[in-house]
Amino acid sequence: MNIRTQFPFWILFLVLILQRIAVLFVFNSEYTDNDQTLAWLMAQDYSHEIFYQPFIYGQDYNYMIEAFLAVPLLWCKVPVEIALPIISNLLAILPFVSFAFWYKRKDNISAAIFFLAIPLLLPISYALITSIPRGFINGLALFAFWPWIGNIARLHMRNILYGIVLVASYVINP
């Protein structure tokens, strides 16, 4: 694949990253609610190795995976109100980027561009709601593994992993 065919792919990838950075600094740095403050508290607890039951602080629907994944950023002194939306933004675009890179690896640049374009073509409300740490993108983020599981040669192992992704996605985000 030459550079001319890859150019639109990399431009879309850059635009997607820039869109998420803009959402982070224009939207996430301005607005919050009680769910976010609970996620901030949980991330700070996790960073100090304080672990409670999976459902805590009155949230009986959220495993706080975003808070757990934000811990390395907190250890690097990134403020919690920035660290959690960074993780939420990454998790929100992870399946699209994963599928795009998988198709790019398979030399199907049209499909790769299509997958990168999807989050950019969705209404801006999708970008806003998926940038907020609320726990409902965790299950979707697991689908980033989906295309790569298809590369596993052993059918039995591939089907087991597909099942694990489906069940984990449902349990994490029913």
Side-chain angles (χ1 to χ4, degrees):
M1 200 179 321
N2 66 28
I3 192 72
R4 291 183 74 168
T5 58
Q6 289 188 19
F7 185 71
F9 174 86
W10 290 110
I11 290 295
L12 272 177
F13 182 69
L14 179 63
V15 169
L16 179 59
I17 299 301
L18 290 175
Q19 179 208 36
R20 287 300 173 147
I21 290 171
V23 166
L24 178 68
F25 288 107
V26 173
F27 178 72
N28 293 120
S29 65
E30 294 293 322
Y31 302 100
T32 191
D33 65 9
N34 61 341
D35 281 339
Q36 276 59 254
T37 56
L38 288 174
W40 295 348
L41 182 58
M42 183 45 114
Q44 289 171 333
D45 284 349
Y46 283 173
S47 72
H48 294 103
E49 300 174 9
I50 300 170
F51 297 96
Y52 298 101
Q53 60 190 5
F55 303 118
I56 55 111
Y57 298 117
Q59 287 194 357
D60 62 350
Y61 60 88
N62 194 343
Y63 284 101
M64 295 290 187
I65 292 172
E66 292 153 303
F68 183 75
L69 295 175
V71 168
L73 293 174
L74 296 178
W75 287 341
C76 293
K77 305 298 183 205
V78 175
V80 70
E81 62 272 7
I82 298 296
L84 270 158
I86 286 173
I87 296 301
S88 295
N89 275 291
L90 289 174
L91 289 175
I93 64 171
L94 189 61
F96 302 106
V97 171
S98 176
F99 272 87
F101 275 94
W102 187 80
Y103 276 114
K104 182 181 176 296
R105 186 171 178 249
K106 297 287 185 185
D107 291 330
N108 188 342
I109 199 72
S110 299
I113 289 170
F114 172 76
F115 273 99
L116 279 180
I118 290 173
L120 293 170
L121 295 173
L122 290 171
I124 192 64
S125 58
Y126 176 81
L128 298 179
I129 198 70
T130 58
S131 70
I132 300 171
R134 289 183 182 254
F136 61 77
I137 59 165
N138 300 326
L140 298 175
L142 288 175
F143 280 97
F145 295 109
W146 197 265
W148 304 98
I149 292 172
N151 290 340
I152 297 173
R154 293 179 47 206
L155 180 63
H156 185 65
M157 181 59 70
R158 186 170 58 223
N159 289 339
I160 288 172
L161 290 174
Y162 278 142
I164 289 171
V165 168
L166 286 174
V167 170
S169 293
Y170 178 76
V171 169
I172 290 172
N173 192 24

